Amino acid sequence: MTDGPRPTVATSESVRLGVLLAAVGGFVDVYTFMTRDGVFANAQTANVVLLGIDAASGHWASARGYLPPLIAFVLGVFTAEAVTRPAVARIVRRPVRAVLVIEILVIAAVGFVPASAPNAVVTISISFVAALQVTTFRVLVDQAFSTTMTTGNLRSFSQAVFRRVVAGDKDAGVRAANFGTVIAGFLGGAIVGALAVRLLDVRAAWVAAGMLVIALALFLFDEWRDVPRVRDPRV
């Protein structure tokens, strides 16, 4: 997905942004798990599994709690895809920036939601913006990746390491380093998220919002630096 006529971004810059967004993904998953009764806002696989466990046990009230984030995630994907449609693109001229701004505003607002509020208020909001992020940012340099979950990234990392060691593929070595850095970023975000929740409780969401502000600044800086002579008026 592009934000207007997007230039090619240098590897270090693309990985840098990917690592930061992955850190936000790890942070937010820990945040909802610790503050909202074990519900994951990013990792919908876990929610589907937990839904199945509760359904098999006949715990229907508990099972229903996993449905709102799943539905919100689907709607988030629909929204991210909709902004690429020609009719919408004429109105939303800078979709990537719009996604990051929406994420910042929503996650910052979540920090004001008290712990006593229904869990669905938070999990639905974060699942929606998580879907926007994972659908919008899905290429790491030249490889598909995810900023909100790590299973696929771990697979790509393992494949790249194998090809580097067995076949001596230097390009695979670079990919392995890129994916390894993103995985480390996700883990680092989870660690920071756990510490922030212990210190700030629900207000820890503001830390994630601040990380996204930095991500937006990096995106704008990379875009500006890669177009030194010709500026698109939409940028």
Side-chain angles (χ1 to χ4, degrees):
M1 182 173 178
T2 59
D3 195 22
R6 180 78 192 277
T8 300
V9 177
T11 298
S12 61
E13 295 165 352
S14 179
V15 172
R16 180 179 61 187
L17 180 60
V19 169
L20 184 53
L21 290 173
V24 173
F27 187 112
V28 170
D29 244 358
V30 166
Y31 176 83
T32 55
F33 185 84
M34 292 180 67
T35 65
R36 298 296 164 180
D37 296 333
V39 175
F40 290 98
N42 289 342
Q44 300 305 319
T45 300
N47 287 335
V48 172
V49 170
L50 294 171
L51 171 62
I53 291 172
D54 282 343
S57 302
H59 300 153
W60 301 111
S62 178
R64 284 196 297 271
Y66 296 104
L67 288 175
L70 288 167
I71 295 170
F73 191 90
V74 171
L75 293 177
V77 174
F78 286 174
T79 301
E81 291 295 331
V83 298
T84 66
R85 305 293 295 175
V88 180
R90 285 193 290 269
I91 301 172
V92 184
R93 304 292 292 275
R94 294 173 288 234
V96 175
R97 296 186 194 186
V99 164
L100 286 172
V101 170
I102 291 170
E103 272 199 274
I104 291 166
L105 294 176
V106 170
I107 293 181
V110 162
F112 290 99
V113 178
S116 58
N119 290 339
V121 174
V122 171
T123 56
I124 287 174
S125 300
I126 292 183
S127 291
F128 179 79
V129 295
L132 289 178
Q133 178 176 307
V134 76
T135 307
T136 302
F137 299 95
R138 48 192 176 190
V139 178
L140 181 71
V141 185
D142 60 353
Q143 298 285 305
F145 88 126
S146 173
T147 60
T148 62
M149 58 199 80
T150 199
T151 303
N153 296 337
L154 184 59
R155 181 207 63 216
S156 297
F157 168 77
S158 302
Q159 289 175 327
V161 169
F162 179 85
R163 290 167 185 165
R164 178 66 181 94
V165 173
V166 175
D169 186 341
K170 293 183 179 179
D171 289 339
V174 173
R175 289 194 293 273
N178 291 342
F179 278 105
T181 305
V182 168
I183 293 168
F186 190 91
L187 174 60
I191 293 171
V192 172
L195 295 173
V197 169
R198 289 171 186 167
L199 290 172
L200 304 171
D201 197 36
V202 296
R203 294 186 298 277
W206 297 337
V207 177
M211 294 165 68
L212 284 168
V213 170
I214 297 172
L216 177 59
L218 285 176
F219 177 81
L220 295 176
F221 175 76
D222 290 346
E223 188 175 56
W224 171 81
R225 197 174 77 167
D226 288 339
V227 199
R229 294 187 180 87
V230 180
R231 297 279 195 273
D232 188 312
R234 294 176 293 177
V235 174

